[in-house]
Amino acid sequence: MKINIHTRHAALASDFREIAEEKLHSMERFSVVIDRVDVEVTHEPNPHQGKHSHRVVITSHGSGPSLRAEATEFNDLAAFDVAIKSIELQIRKFHEREKDHKRETIRTMPLAD
């Protein structure tokens, strides 16, 4: 999985890249094919937007489903955490839909001769 991190009007925290890569690579445990993930971090300079001044948008590209999540919080790591939870929920839903839930019951099992 290739991870692209873009910033607009923002300076990232020193450990943001390592934390983001670690959390995004942990989503590979699901059987969903994701080729590339774009993370865009934007800072709103308006002081009236204090608690929602950092915005993170996560978009995935690949042969699997197209996933997108957006979050605004007081810093970039908090916004990333909220957005990654949303992406994880979307991946879980897709993964559960792809599973085979058919189980043989006593009624549907063939009789032995």
Side-chain angles (χ1 to χ4, degrees):
M1 174 187 323
K2 184 178 178 185
I3 300 170
N4 297 328
I5 298 177
H6 307 282
T7 60
R8 293 178 188 241
H9 312 292
L12 291 178
S14 60
D15 56 347
F16 182 84
R17 185 170 298 277
E18 294 93 25
I19 292 171
E21 288 178 356
E22 178 184 329
K23 288 188 179 185
L24 288 169
H25 282 299
S26 73
M27 292 190 310
E28 291 178 343
R29 68 182 181 267
F30 300 107
S31 62
V32 177
V33 179
I34 298 174
D35 297 330
R36 186 181 84 219
V37 175
D38 293 330
V39 178
E40 183 178 325
V41 181
T42 309
H43 177 68
E44 174 65 43
N46 185 353
H48 294 290
Q49 300 292 330
K51 290 186 178 180
H52 303 287
S53 61
H54 292 268
R55 183 173 134 207
V56 173
V57 178
I58 302 173
T59 310
S60 73
H61 305 279
S63 60
S66 178
L67 306 171
R68 184 176 186 279
E70 182 178 330
T72 57
E73 288 293 327
F74 62 95
N75 70 8
D76 49 1
L77 287 172
F80 180 78
D81 285 341
V82 173
I84 199 73
K85 285 180 185 176
S86 177
I87 287 282
E88 214 170 274
L89 179 65
Q90 293 174 32
I91 288 178
R92 279 183 198 273
K93 286 172 75 174
F94 183 79
H95 179 71
E96 288 294 321
R97 254 186 262 133
E98 293 297 312
K99 274 188 185 177
D100 183 26
H101 290 288
K102 295 179 182 173
R103 296 185 185 99
E104 288 190 359
T105 62
I106 294 174
R107 293 180 189 159
T108 61
M109 288 175 55
L111 297 174
D113 289 328

